[in-house]
Amino acid sequence: MSEVGIDNLIGVAEAIAVLDNTPVTPRIERIALPGADGRVLAKAVSADRDYPPFDKALMDGYAVRAEDAGGSLRKVGEIAAGGSAGVRPLRAGDCVSIMTGAPLPPGADAVVPIEWTSLAGDVVTIRGNVRTGNAIAKRATEAKAGDGVLPAGIHLGPAHLSVCAQVGAALVDVFARPRVGVLSTGDEVVAFDTTPVGSQIRNSNSVLLSSLVRRYGGQVDHLGHVRDDPASIAEVLSTPGLDAILVTGGMSMGEYDFTPRVMRELGYELAITKLKIKPGKPFVFARRSGPAGKDAGPQFIFGLPGNPVSAFVCTVRLVSRLLLRLQAASPEPKWDTATLTTDLPANGPREFYQPVFAEAGTVNPLAWGGSADVFTLTRANALLIRAADEAALPAGTSVQLLRFP
Ligand code: AMP
Ligand code: MG
């Protein structure tokens, strides 16, 4: 059952080590806060003042001295949100009408929600007991002035953006999105908005890869399509101003599979060629030292299989790591474990990434339609990982899953 030449291929772990040990130089840029959604923070953000900045009412009601509450109090003033706490300190038996977000008057140590009270003239009657600290937030309990509130390296999401806004970080330092070219090659491939004739097929890889690149934080430069012609491929692979290019097609051993040769002729080191991964054996990682020059091609080129599922798997498992590292983000993907609902046969000699649908801790393998079957991939939400030469697995086995980005 051994595949031809399998012993000459490197394993996935080895390929990951090559990728992770390849030096990268992430760029930092300062941008306006609203545009920072999803970006990786490059410099820590700290609190410009205490949060809350003052002892604050958390509900509409009356600011009181808790020891007095539990009977009738005299209303001596009113403080709205944004208002001033500069009223005179509360004296025994006093209370002040207060709104959510307003500063507590001196001497008050609790807020009685309006629902627990009734008002007649300036007499406030309180039902039940009120404990010290009720419905208030003390100054600096969320953050103290100067505290680091967001560390460098995190992906900015809704809560992080809110914190930046609160502390007045109107401009934030983030890592630049890698600029990634996407190129398809192959004489049989035509644009997706045209009608194929004979054995032609539409280019589906460019949109698939562009979507993945964006999910990993990259910005896409559409490099279009070229035929299986070394000079045309070389020209597009020399596009300036890019960090990386993803190119599909022509990566195998066929007579018209020129791409690896072209990379070598352009001065790239082929750090990975052919991989013990299923699907995706034809995988090339080409690199050259130093960041991209102004008039030269990118520092990194990924040669991906032409088959869509193979291109998908290689990008999710391998290309993603470098794209994330180019933004100084962690390259680690989202792992999961789940229980098999059906038996699986023994695996072959390549590490196998099988599209599956995982739900509520169980995993349903989808009938493996092969590396071209992107239709089945649309029903999957994860890749089930099988080790090389792994024995058959009975239903009920706990397996490892790689979640889609
Ligand atoms: P290759 O990597 O050139 O050996 O191609 C492997 C398979 O992927 C062939 O069936 C190709 O027709 C197909 N293929 C190559 N490029 C693309 C593309 N851009 N979109 C969809 N399928 C492709
Ligand atoms: Mg081809």
Side-chain angles (χ1 to χ4, degrees), residues 185-189 228 248-252 254 256-257 306:
T185 70
D187 287 351
E188 78 281 27
V189 178
D228 288 318
T248 63
M251 223 56 60
S252 323
Y256 296 99
D257 292 331

Side-chain angles (χ1 to χ4, degrees), residues 20-246:
D20 288 0
N21 290 322
T22 296
V24 291
T25 44
R27 291 179 303 275
I28 294 175
E29 59 186 5
R30 180 165 290 189
I31 61 170
L33 179 62
D37 192 16
R39 303 291 290 272
V40 181
L41 189 63
K43 286 196 188 127
V45 172
S46 51
D48 61 324
R49 58 176 180 165
D50 290 340
Y51 288 90
F54 42 81
D55 294 348
K56 179 175 83 171
L58 295 179
M59 296 181 84
D60 296 330
Y62 295 94
V64 301
R65 300 170 3 144
E67 61 189 287
D68 300 347
S72 291
L73 298 175
R74 197 162 55 94
K75 179 181 153 187
V76 296
E78 192 174 287
I79 309 173
S84 158
V87 296
R88 67 175 165 77
L90 280 193
R91 286 192 297 231
D94 285 354
C95 69
V96 165
S97 169
I98 197 162
M99 316 297 155
T100 303
L104 288 188
D109 60 4
V111 167
V112 188
I114 191 105
E115 296 84 351
W116 303 1
T117 67
S118 49
L119 177 67
D122 62 357
V123 176
V124 178
T125 305
I126 297 168
R127 290 182 294 279
N129 291 321
V130 179
R131 263 180 286 183
T132 303
N134 190 70
I136 65 171
K138 299 286 280 182
R139 175 177 183 154
T141 45
E142 293 160 4
K144 288 193 177 46
D147 276 358
V149 289
L150 297 175
I154 58 167
H155 281 271
L156 295 171
H160 311 106
L161 297 181
S162 168
V163 162
C164 288
Q166 281 206 49
V167 304
L171 297 173
V172 287
D173 293 300
V174 296
F175 289 102
R177 292 188 181 286
R179 296 161 302 199
V180 183
V182 173
L183 171 66
S184 118
T185 70
D187 287 351
E188 78 281 27
V189 178
V190 296
F192 63 73
D193 57 356
T194 59
T195 304
V197 288
S199 61
Q200 288 180 335
I201 56 156
R202 293 192 179 96
N203 173 12
S204 60
N205 286 342
S206 291
V207 288
L208 177 146
L209 293 173
S210 299
S211 169
L212 283 173
V213 165
R214 279 188 222 103
R215 275 154 207 259
Y216 291 115
Q219 67 190 45
V220 176
D221 189 348
H222 300 280
L223 299 177
H225 177 80
V226 291
R227 303 191 52 128
D228 288 318
D229 163 54
S232 313
I233 296 171
E235 191 187 328
V236 183
L237 291 184
S238 305
T239 302
L242 298 173
D243 296 301
I245 290 179
L246 274 50

